[in-house]
Amino acid sequence: MRLFVAGLRKLVRRPASYVSVGLLAGLLSLILIAVGATAKQTAERPNGAAALLLVTFPQAYTLILSFILGLGGLIAVIYGAAVAGSEWNWGTLKAAVARGESRSRYALLTFASVALLIGVGLVLAFLVGTLMAVVGASLAGISTSGLSNSDALGRLPDQFGRSWIAVVEEGALGFTVATLARSQLAGIGAGIALYFGEQFASIFLPDIVKYLPFNAATAVVENAGTGGGGIIQRLEPGLALWVVLAWLFGSLFVAALFTERADISG
């Protein structure tokens, strides 16, 4: 618990924690306001009605989470890599080990603090997104009566839990890559390459890519992915959750094992 609390105190003082949430919430707000402000033109375009669902409740709840799972996943990769890489670049891991801390325990508790802050960021981004969706609906002249839809609100806790696990898994990948590279920049670069590489691979290996970490993460919430009309046939949400958990625990196992055996004397 001591290491976990220390990790939280360290991360809440880092600008990256605020920049990551601010970037996600800002981009989400811009999109929702733009959709609402250009509702008339949007409705006349192909698939325009689908775009307006972003500011139409209760569908907006799931679509906001979909956006968070998409862009938020990439931001989580970068954030996880930045945190893990700093442990090597700034020598904090070496100092902790010199104090007698367990290497693997230190690494895992550091990531636990990352996971908690990801959850806080998810809630904040969703709240901002919901508020901006209400503003967008007002600009578009769309009723917000669905805002209090009991069925949609009843599904939110489950959707939030699934979304948090999915984004944490993506953060764990960045964390592990940076741990293996022992560098912030290398970890961030490799994490971004893995993210976009997976999207590119969908052209050639659609049946395999759906089991890869980023695509599985977007499928954990029902109807939050691109649906069956895209190149990739999404996994069923229940199976996707198990795949995400496998990637999450597998990534953390690799990170802990590498940290335990790595040479940190330099």
Side-chain angles (χ1 to χ4, degrees):
M1 181 59 72
R2 175 178 52 82
L3 284 176
F4 175 68
V5 173
L8 281 178
R9 289 175 177 171
K10 180 171 58 179
L11 291 180
V12 296
R13 293 196 298 265
R14 293 186 60 171
S17 300
Y18 302 98
V19 171
S20 298
V21 177
L23 179 61
L24 178 59
L27 289 173
L28 180 56
S29 298
L30 287 174
I31 291 173
L32 293 171
I33 294 298
V35 169
T38 60
K40 183 177 180 180
Q41 300 93 313
T42 300
E44 296 172 352
R45 297 171 187 163
N47 300 319
L52 288 177
L53 291 178
L54 279 168
V55 293
T56 304
F57 290 93
Q59 296 92 330
Y61 287 129
T62 299
L63 293 176
I64 290 169
L65 281 175
S66 175
F67 182 92
I68 293 173
L69 284 173
L71 181 58
L74 177 58
I75 293 175
V77 169
I78 297 172
Y79 183 61
V83 172
S86 68
E87 294 296 323
W88 299 89
N89 294 351
W90 299 347
T92 50
L93 172 63
K94 181 179 178 180
V97 172
R99 295 195 308 267
E101 303 289 356
S102 164
R103 296 182 180 204
S104 55
R105 182 168 177 267
Y106 180 84
L108 292 176
L109 287 175
T110 296
F111 182 75
S113 62
V114 171
L116 179 58
L117 288 186
I118 285 176
V120 173
L122 175 65
V123 172
L124 291 176
F126 182 80
L127 291 176
V128 170
T130 300
L131 177 61
M132 291 301 103
V134 171
V135 174
S138 178
L139 292 173
I142 297 174
S143 171
T144 58
S145 59
L147 190 65
S148 59
N149 183 279
S150 58
D151 290 337
L153 292 175
R155 290 193 298 269
L156 277 180
D158 177 68
Q159 291 179 328
F160 257 108
R162 288 170 173 268
S163 298
W164 176 68
I165 292 172
V167 179
V168 165
E169 174 242 33
E170 293 167 312
L173 290 172
F175 187 89
T176 299
V177 170
T179 297
L180 297 177
R182 296 200 269 193
S183 166
Q184 276 184 307
L185 292 179
I188 292 172
I192 293 174
L194 286 173
Y195 180 90
F196 287 106
E198 184 175 314
Q199 312 312 312
F200 180 74
S202 65
I203 301 173
F204 307 102
L205 303 167
D207 293 330
I208 295 176
V209 167
K210 64 183 179 182
Y211 291 98
L212 296 182
F214 299 108
N215 280 283
T218 62
V220 297
V221 176
E222 188 174 2
N223 299 323
T226 57
I231 295 175
I232 305 171
Q233 298 300 311
R234 300 286 180 185
L235 293 174
E236 182 273 328
L239 176 58
L241 183 60
W242 284 109
V243 172
V244 164
L245 287 171
W247 280 107
L248 170 60
F249 290 117
S251 298
L252 294 179
F253 175 79
V254 171
L257 183 63
F258 180 85
T259 303
E260 193 67 40
R261 298 186 176 184
D263 179 13
I264 59 173
S265 61

